[in-house]
Amino acid sequence: MTRFAKSALAALISLCTPLAVPLGVTQAVQAADLGVYSDDDGGVCGEAWVLNKITSRFSHQVHHVPHLPNVQITDFRRIHQHRYLAANETWPIGRRYCGATVSLSDGRDRTIWYLIEEGQGFASIGDNVEFCVSGFDRWMVYNGRCRILR
């Protein structure tokens, strides 16, 4: 086998390997990695991959947006879905609007609103999550008081 063929085969195997891991296994590992747990049953809104993605992106946000306090999300509580727009012929993207209360590392509780868009992940694989923590939308991306995600 040529060097090029070996490289191509290795690349193909590395791309397919994550797809072969059962979905529940990756979610359990992700939940253990960040230590974010919830005792509420929020359905899809409370799944570990959603909460971990929010926690990771929030950490990035507080480190890269000027004048935000250096805090982390330590816990999610009162997770709930307050609206679901199913995919249909005129709007092909299903959306779940969720809310919760997050505890921050400074001891304060804040309201968080988030949206899960079905099939809108990287390269249209998986789902996308957009979120807004009350008081942390410095550039008003989601309008005043996270109105767009509420």
Side-chain angles (χ1 to χ4, degrees), residues 10-72:
L12 181 64
I13 291 171
S14 68
L15 286 174
C16 295
T17 302
L19 300 175
V21 177
L23 187 60
V25 172
T26 57
Q27 288 178 348
V29 170
Q30 287 176 350
D33 288 345
L34 289 176
V36 177
Y37 302 99
S38 174
D39 54 359
D40 299 351
D41 181 20
V44 174
C45 295
E47 288 188 8
W49 73 269
V50 173
L51 304 181
N52 288 332
K53 187 175 280 194
I54 291 170
T55 302
S56 173
R57 288 186 180 168
F58 182 76
S59 177
H60 179 81
Q61 177 183 353
V62 297
H63 286 98
H64 293 91
V65 175
H67 309 296
L68 285 181
N70 188 13
V71 295
Q72 302 297 319

Side-chain angles (χ1 to χ4, degrees), residues 98-147:
C98 308
T101 301
V102 292
S103 297
L104 302 177
S105 58
D106 65 356
R108 297 185 67 186
D109 289 344
R110 300 275 186 149
T111 303
I112 185 171
W113 302 99
Y114 54 104
L115 162 70
I116 303 169
E117 296 175 304
E118 297 171 356
Q120 296 302 301
F122 180 73
S124 296
I125 299 172
D127 298 339
N128 181 44
V129 179
E130 297 290 332
F131 70 94
C132 179
V133 177
S134 181
F136 283 80
D137 189 14
R138 182 167 183 78
W139 294 329
M140 302 291 259
V141 174
Y142 298 105
N143 208 327
R145 297 177 38 230
C146 305
R147 185 185 64 84

